[in-house]
């Protein structure tokens, strides 16, 4: 667009690709929802402020997650009540986990296509659990009640379903030519 | 591993106790495999949550029933319409009511909503620290030389040392309005209403002229030809813009160039660099825009961001839910002598959205149920309806992976570029036509399902990466015809 300066355009193009990844990182690091949202905004602002330091030869995703981790640690140092219990070792290990993850390096559009294909391949019990927990947005204790299971068993079964889905999505994304969007 | 992995759900639920969280952190720092499982878990959890957003209402219920029975979800790469879309199409495929065009009117709920928004903004302002920190205010009494009134502001911030204007202040000839950020509105005694978007510096030169040193000013003048004060003028470092009874925007960009955009009616502009040679002013009509340089040259502004020229109720729309998807539009058609612009409206698609820059036609749902759910809040481009007579190739620039929609008039033959690279969703959108050069008596109505004059099929294409997408020209007409519309949602 004529009035957009080049810096803004480049930043926008990069940031919209990585914002979900930053959000996922923050979901692991910060449990409080409101604090997480505030932090997400602070991260976006910081990314814009230091965008000139970004090296385009590196993946923007990785750089953005690094900046996000720094913001979280700064917040924790300035107010320990704000981000309780977070250690720098934990933050570093989670950031490294994202670096290693093949899911984190794929665009969300491709993840989505793979997810939809994998949902159809889930066993019936997993399908029912996922449907209740995510598509009907029921809390886990309600899922447990409706399926006549203990809370503990429901958490385990859901975790297993997520792992199945994750493995399937990862496999599809790593199989060249099998996953694409028109 | 399994026992520890299940903690991912408790962590994401926020139900993990602090002791459990500390144990999880300690374990994770020693075990990269655990971290990998947590990362994979949060990504899948997030994907599933977003997947729900695609499946709504009745469509959601139907999809869910199919899913539980083992239905394999969307496989968009084979060109088959999305299952949800097929179901929704069945719900949406109702007879199109043809109605007599009627007068546009505001509904009670719209007025109530506007009042609530206004009240909320006033309350926010009153109780904000900013209100208490206001500098001593100018007396609200009109003075002999006051020519305008400071009528409202939205998140206005003032530079250090500058005067802090308050709602109700009178503004006199020679006074400056300096805005660091936010928006402010002035109502002139002569009838013009001017909205300023910061950062901006504006000086009142007379009762019917201002000098814009920097920033953006959008002005509406009703009945300028009847005004005793004459026509309203905006002077910038590069040009003089004279209103001819219209709504227009002027923006001084860094470097001294001036953008002039006409939203309604027409204006004349005269580059100051050549004014000494008694130049003939250049006229811009509705849907036209130009960038004038300090040396007097000018060029077409190809696309305009709707939010860049806030005015009226648009002054209040300062926040959006997401970054823009459509960030540029261009074509191969127009010469510099035809300075028409495309208007990009971020998250702007809804009932009664203005369809074209050169007509007052509006997009609406074809039945009272309204627009298809997936179009609400989409970015869209107001194109030129006059382009139905020509053959432009339009290039849309997307900032991210997106679903790109084209609204194509059912009265025309579907061209190859559309049928080959897009798929028909099965949904329709209605065009409520206002007066045109041929149909003088048409009037636009409000709300879906009324006064629908043409039906457009909604075609879609999944665009996997940010970048440019080229759209071709329209096909042959079978009966009536109108230019296609363009919209996009993030993928």
């Amino acid at each position: 667009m004529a009035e957009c300066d080049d810096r803004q355009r480049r930043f926008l193009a990069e940031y919209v690709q990585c914002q979900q990844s930053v959000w996922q990182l923050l979901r692991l690091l910060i449990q409080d929802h409101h604090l997480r949202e505030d932090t997400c905004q602070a991260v976006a602002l910081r990314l814009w402020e230091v965008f000139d330091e970004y090296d385009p030869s590196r993946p923007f995703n990785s750089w953005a997650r690094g900046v996000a981790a720094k913001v979280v640690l700064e917040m924790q140092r300035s107010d320990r009540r704000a981000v309780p219990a977070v250690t720098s070792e934990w933050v570093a290990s989670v950031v490294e986990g994202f670096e290693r993850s093949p899911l984190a390096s794929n665009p969300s559009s491709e993840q989505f296509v793979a997810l939809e294909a994998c949902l159809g391949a889930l066993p019936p019990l997993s399908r029912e659990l996922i449907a209740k927990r995510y598509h009907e947005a029921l809390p886990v204790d309600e899922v447990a009640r409706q399926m006549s299971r203990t809370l503990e068993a429901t958490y385990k079964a859901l975790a297993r379903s997520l792992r199945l889905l994750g493995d399937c999505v990862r496999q599809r994304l790593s199989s060249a030519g099998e996953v694409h969007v028109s | 591993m399994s026992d520890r992995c299940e903690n991912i759900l408790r962590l994401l639920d926020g139900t993990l106790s602090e002791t459990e969280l500390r144990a999880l952190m300690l374990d994770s720092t020693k075990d990269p495999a655990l971290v990998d499982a947590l990362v994979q878990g949060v990504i899948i959890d997030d994907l599933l949550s977003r997947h729900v957003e695609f499946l709504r209402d009745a469509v959601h219920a139907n999809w869910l029933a199919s899913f539980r029975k083992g239905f394999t979800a969307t496989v968009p790469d084979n060109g088959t319409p999305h299952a949800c879309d097929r179901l929704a199409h069945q719900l949406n495929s109702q007879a199109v009511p043809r109605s007599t065009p009627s007068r546009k009117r505001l509904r009670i709920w719209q007025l109530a909503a506007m009042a609530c928004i206004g009240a909320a903004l006033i309350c926010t302002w009153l109780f904000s620290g900013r209100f208490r920190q206001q500098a001593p205010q100018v007396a609200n009494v009109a003075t002999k030389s006051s020519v305008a009134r400071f009528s409202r502001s939205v998140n206005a911030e003032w530079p250090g040392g500058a005067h802090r204007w308050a709602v109700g202040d009178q503004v006199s000839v020679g006074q400056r309005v300096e805005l660091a950020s936010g928006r402010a509105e002035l109502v002139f005694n002569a009838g013009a209403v001017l909205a300023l978007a910061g950062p901006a510096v504006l000086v009142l030169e007379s009762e019917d002229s201002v000098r814009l040193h920097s920033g953006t000013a959008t002005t509406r003048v009703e009945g300028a030809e009847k005004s005793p004060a004459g026509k309203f003028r905006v002077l910038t470092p590069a040009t003089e813009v004279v209103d001819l009874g219209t709504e227009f925007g002027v923006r001084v960009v860094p470097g001294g160039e001036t953008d002039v955009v006409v939203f309604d009616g027409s204006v004349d502009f005269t580059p100051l660099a050549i004014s000494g040679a008694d130049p003939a002013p250049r006229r811009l009509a509705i849907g036209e825009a130009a960038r004038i340089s300090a040396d007097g040259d000018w060029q077409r502004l190809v696309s305009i961001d709707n939010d860049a020229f806030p005015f009226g109720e648009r002054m209040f729309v300062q926040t959006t839910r997401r970054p823009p998807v459509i960030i540029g539009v261009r074509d191969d058609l127009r010469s510099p002598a035809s300075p028409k612009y495309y208007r990009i409206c971020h998250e702007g698609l809804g009932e009664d959205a203005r369809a074209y820059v050169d007509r007052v036609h509006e997009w609406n749902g074809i039945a009272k149920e309204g627009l298809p759910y997936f179009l609400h809040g989409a970015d869209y481009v107001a194109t030129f309806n006059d382009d139905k007579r020509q053959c432009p190739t339009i290039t849309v620039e997307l900032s991210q992976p997106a679903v790109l929609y084209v609204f194509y008039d059912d009265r025309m033959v579907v061209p190859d570029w559309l049928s080959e690279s897009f798929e028909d969703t099965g949904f329709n959108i209605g065009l409520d036509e206002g007066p045109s050069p041929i149909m003088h008596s048409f009037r636009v109505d409000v709300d879906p399902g009324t006064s629908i004059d043409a039906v457009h099929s909604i075609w879609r294409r999944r665009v996997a990466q940010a970048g440019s997408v080229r759209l071709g020209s329209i096909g042959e007409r079978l009966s009536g015809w109108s230019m296609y519309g363009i919209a996009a949602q993030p993928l």
Side-chain angles (χ1 to χ4, degrees):
Chain A
M1 199 159 42
E3 66 263 27
C4 285
D5 68 77
D6 187 51
R7 183 178 188 265
Q8 188 178 347
R9 185 191 297 262
R10 281 187 293 115
F11 176 78
L12 199 61
E14 296 283 2
Y15 180 67
V16 294
Q17 302 268 16
C18 87
Q19 58 179 341
Q20 209 61 38
S21 181
V22 168
W23 178 248
Q24 289 160 358
L25 172 71
L26 295 178
R27 287 192 72 198
L28 282 184
L29 299 182
I30 300 173
Q31 284 197 279
D32 181 83
H33 179 72
H34 300 294
L35 179 61
R36 193 160 57 223
E37 290 208 323
D38 289 347
T39 309
C40 196
Q41 289 181 21
V43 170
L45 188 62
R46 178 70 62 83
L47 286 170
W48 169 248
E49 287 168 349
V50 299
F51 183 54
D52 291 334
E53 297 170 22
Y54 165 59
D55 174 8
S57 64
R58 290 186 57 205
F60 189 87
N61 259 349
S62 302
W63 178 74
R65 285 193 295 261
V67 172
K70 206 171 163 185
V71 170
V72 170
L73 288 172
E74 283 174 5
M75 287 175 65
Q76 207 266 341
R77 274 196 290 271
S78 64
D79 184 358
R80 287 184 183 277
R81 288 166 304 174
V83 191
V86 171
T87 64
S88 55
E89 291 82 359
W90 157 249
V91 173
S93 64
V94 171
V95 170
E96 285 166 16
F98 272 91
E99 291 302 304
R100 287 192 299 271
S101 170
L103 293 182
S105 59
N106 277 281
S108 61
S109 55
E110 293 184 11
Q111 293 175 353
F112 237 95
V113 173
L115 176 79
E116 289 199 333
C118 291
L119 277 170
L122 276 179
L125 175 63
S126 293
R127 212 155 43 216
E128 188 63 21
L129 280 166
I130 295 287
K132 285 188 182 299
R133 176 72 184 94
Y134 292 93
H135 297 100
E136 291 180 22
L138 296 176
V140 178
D141 55 355
E142 179 61 16
V143 175
R145 196 190 63 75
Q146 288 192 11
M147 297 190 73
S148 304
R149 286 168 162 259
T150 64
L151 187 61
E152 207 62 29
T154 307
Y155 267 118
K156 279 186 179 173
L158 269 170
R160 201 178 306 120
S161 302
L162 282 191
R163 196 165 61 247
L164 277 174
L165 265 181
D167 292 344
C168 173
V169 170
R170 187 157 40 85
Q171 200 171 5
R172 288 185 71 88
L173 290 175
S174 62
S175 306
E178 282 190 20
V179 177
H180 59 94
V181 289
S182 58
Chain B
M1 173 70 68
S2 176
D3 288 346
R4 290 179 301 172
C5 281
E6 75 186 54
N7 282 335
I8 178 68
L9 289 165
R10 296 182 192 274
L11 179 65
L12 299 176
D13 280 348
T15 56
L16 212 56
S17 71
E18 194 161 337
T19 309
E20 288 171 316
L21 180 59
R22 286 184 189 283
L24 182 66
M25 285 194 298
L26 194 61
D27 289 344
S28 302
T29 51
K30 295 174 188 167
D31 185 357
L34 175 59
V35 176
D36 291 349
L38 293 174
V39 168
Q40 178 172 300
V42 74
I43 291 173
I44 295 300
D45 179 89
D46 191 50
L47 276 176
L48 281 167
S49 300
R50 285 190 286 146
H51 186 247
V52 174
E53 294 171 13
F54 281 82
L55 311 163
R56 294 187 189 282
D57 306 326
V59 176
H60 180 186
N62 282 282
W63 183 90
L64 201 51
S66 304
F67 171 54
R68 282 179 164 141
K69 290 173 191 165
F71 164 75
T72 302
T74 315
V75 185
D77 51 353
N78 65 3
T80 307
H82 195 294
C84 301
D85 290 357
R86 288 197 300 270
L87 287 164
H89 172 54
Q90 290 166 12
L91 299 171
N92 197 42
S93 57
Q94 301 171 21
V96 182
R98 299 281 307 177
S99 60
T100 307
S102 57
R103 292 180 68 83
K104 189 167 188 168
R105 62 195 180 281
L106 272 180
R107 286 170 41 151
I108 297 297
W109 69 264
Q110 285 175 306
L111 291 169
M114 286 161 61
C116 287
I117 291 168
L121 285 165
I122 291 166
C123 288
T124 304
W125 181 67
L126 283 174
F127 290 102
S128 71
R130 196 176 305 140
F131 170 70
R132 292 188 291 275
Q133 293 161 11
Q134 288 277 2
Q137 296 173 3
V138 175
N140 291 347
V141 180
T143 61
K144 203 172 184 179
S145 60
S146 70
V147 293
R149 179 173 53 85
F150 194 95
S151 54
R152 59 179 167 173
S153 64
V154 182
N155 295 342
E157 300 278 356
W158 314 101
H163 182 74
R164 292 166 173 251
W165 295 94
V167 173
D169 282 351
Q170 298 293 326
V171 192
S172 303
V173 171
Q175 286 194 293
R176 290 165 76 91
V177 178
E178 290 187 60
L179 197 58
S181 63
R183 291 153 189 196
E185 185 185 78
L186 298 172
V187 175
F188 285 77
N189 299 342
V193 179
L194 183 148
L196 200 60
V201 176
L202 181 88
V203 177
L204 275 65
E205 297 236 311
S206 73
E207 60 186 347
D208 58 0
S209 67
V210 295
R211 185 173 292 275
L212 183 66
H213 291 276
S214 62
T216 302
T218 308
T219 309
R220 181 160 192 94
V221 186
E222 300 285 359
E225 66 283 357
K226 297 176 187 170
S227 165
K231 297 164 181 171
F232 195 82
R233 295 185 310 143
V234 178
L235 291 152
T236 75
T239 191
E240 177 189 55
V241 184
V242 179
D243 159 78
L244 301 174
T246 185
E247 182 180 329
F248 66 104
V250 177
R251 175 174 49 193
V252 177
V253 298
E257 295 170 314
T258 295
D259 294 343
V260 182
V261 183
V262 181
F263 300 112
D264 197 5
S266 55
V267 302
D268 281 346
F269 74 84
T270 309
L272 297 181
I274 56 172
S275 61
D278 191 21
R282 163 81 201 192
R283 182 155 296 182
L284 293 176
I286 179 174
E288 294 186 331
R291 170 165 291 183
I292 301 121
S293 67
D295 60 9
D297 289 338
W298 66 274
Q299 59 183 343
R300 173 193 177 203
L301 267 183
V302 180
S303 65
I304 302 297
D305 181 341
N306 200 43
D307 299 331
F309 293 90
F311 189 81
E313 294 314 310
R314 281 191 285 117
M315 282 181 67
F316 296 110
V317 184
Q318 289 215 90
T319 55
T320 51
R321 291 174 294 125
R322 55 168 173 75
V325 181
I326 299 177
I327 54 173
V329 188
R330 59 183 186 276
D331 62 38
D332 61 349
L333 183 67
R334 263 155 283 278
S335 69
S338 177
K340 291 191 172 182
Y341 65 88
Y342 293 95
R343 193 168 185 173
I344 302 171
C345 304
H346 297 139
E347 300 184 30
L349 191 54
E351 299 297 342
D352 304 310
R354 179 105 164 236
Y356 303 110
V357 289
D358 56 353
R359 299 282 195 284
V360 294
H361 303 354
E362 295 174 347
W363 295 120
N364 277 115
I366 58 171
K368 62 179 170 51
E369 285 75 14
L371 289 172
Y373 67 95
F374 53 83
L375 288 184
H376 281 283
D379 288 9
Y380 82 99
V381 179
T383 54
F384 314 112
N385 197 28
D386 276 350
D387 277 352
K388 62 191 177 185
R389 297 183 175 84
Q390 305 172 71
C391 299
T393 297
I394 297 176
T395 303
V396 181
E397 196 174 341
L398 302 171
S399 68
Q400 59 179 299
V403 181
L404 184 64
Y405 297 99
V406 168
F407 310 148
Y408 195 81
D409 195 328
D410 283 350
R411 299 169 297 181
M412 301 189 303
V413 174
V414 177
D416 289 344
W417 65 266
L418 188 60
S419 59
E420 288 170 2
S421 59
F422 283 72
E423 61 176 343
D424 189 345
T425 62
F427 288 87
N428 293 323
I429 188 170
L431 186 65
D432 179 4
E433 297 185 7
S436 68
I438 298 172
M439 309 302 285
H440 303 287
S441 62
F442 274 36
R443 293 288 181 275
V444 290
D445 203 342
V446 290
D447 292 340
T450 58
S451 183
I452 301 300
D453 301 296
V455 174
H456 289 227
S457 290
I458 302 171
W459 295 70
R460 78 171 179 190
R461 173 177 169 184
R462 285 174 181 252
V463 183
Q465 292 186 331
S468 300
V469 180
R470 293 181 70 188
L471 307 175
S473 56
I474 64 173
E476 292 176 29
R477 58 188 291 192
L478 298 174
S479 52
W481 56 339
S482 53
M483 182 59 185
Y484 57 77
I486 302 165
Q489 287 275 32
L491 193 58

